Amino acid sequence: MGNRLSKIYTRTGDDGTTGLGDGTRVAKDSARVNAYGTVDEANSCIGVLLAGEVPDDVRALLTRIQHQLFDLGGELCIPGHAAIFDADIDALEASLDHYNEGLPVLKEFILPGGGEAAARCHVARTVVRRAERDTVTLSRHDAVRPQAIRYLNRLSDLLFVLSRVLARAGGHGEVLWEHDRRR
């Protein structure tokens, strides 16, 4: 990167536009900027999760995912660029299967909570879901590789499973939704 980021402000966005990775300028509220901006927000949520106590294997997995989310942001920022591949999605699915294997079958919905780490993981999951929705919106206007949407879909599923794992690891357990509490 060299000195590329030696000056943080450029004033070029003061008119409500921003530059994409290919040099074109678009409105800061465009579907493309919303999509990669929400991916960046999801990455930050995972960073907040990692700022606390999480098991080493989960930390290593989430750190790898942070790098992939940065790659995905680049893919969405540069029209026509490819940075997320089927192998990345396959790896998420393998992690999903691994972590879900030891969990009891769900019979009730789970409320976000279950200790600090699990709650932070739930927040990351919901932001990833929003990133997925924003990327789908972008795909209705511009070309988006299906791997981008599939990656976000699997990642939100993985974060759900990891929130269950973290609730147990923290000794808090899951908070089950009491569907018949109003009867």
Side-chain angles (χ1 to χ4, degrees), residues 131-153:
E132 179 186 11
R133 291 190 304 272
D134 288 347
T135 303
V136 167
T137 297
L138 172 62
S139 75
R140 297 195 192 296
H141 307 283
D142 291 317
V144 173
R145 294 174 61 251
Q147 289 87 345
I149 296 168
R150 286 179 43 227
Y151 182 89
L152 291 167
N153 186 281

Side-chain angles (χ1 to χ4, degrees), residues 58-178:
V58 173
R59 179 174 302 282
L61 173 60
L62 291 175
T63 300
R64 187 178 81 236
I65 287 168
Q66 281 194 297
H67 286 278
Q68 291 172 337
L69 283 172
F70 202 88
D71 294 339
L72 177 56
E75 178 171 327
L76 295 172
C77 181
I78 305 169
H81 179 64
I84 294 296
F85 303 98
D86 291 336
D88 299 316
I89 298 161
D90 293 343
L92 289 181
E93 290 175 356
S95 293
L96 256 163
D97 292 342
H98 167 74
Y99 285 101
N100 196 45
E101 187 178 320
L103 295 173
V105 175
L106 278 177
K107 296 180 180 172
E108 302 291 339
F109 287 105
I110 297 173
L111 298 180
E116 188 171 342
R120 289 179 182 190
C121 197
H122 277 292
V123 171
R125 171 187 58 80
T126 62
V127 175
V128 169
R129 279 286 188 219
R130 182 160 34 93
E132 179 186 11
R133 291 190 304 272
D134 288 347
T135 303
V136 167
T137 297
L138 172 62
S139 75
R140 297 195 192 296
H141 307 283
D142 291 317
V144 173
R145 294 174 61 251
Q147 289 87 345
I149 296 168
R150 286 179 43 227
Y151 182 89
L152 291 167
N153 186 281
R154 265 356 149 269
L155 178 56
S156 63
D157 292 340
L158 175 59
L159 291 170
F160 175 77
V161 167
L162 289 177
S163 68
R164 296 188 69 203
V165 168
L166 292 171
R168 285 175 163 63
H172 295 83
E174 297 168 333
V175 181
L176 300 178
W177 174 56
E178 299 172 4

Side-chain angles (χ1 to χ4, degrees), residues 38-50 66 69 124 127:
T38 309
V39 168
D40 184 36
E41 186 180 348
N43 204 341
S44 295
C45 287
I46 292 173
V48 170
L49 171 58
L50 290 172
Q66 281 194 297
L69 283 172
V127 175

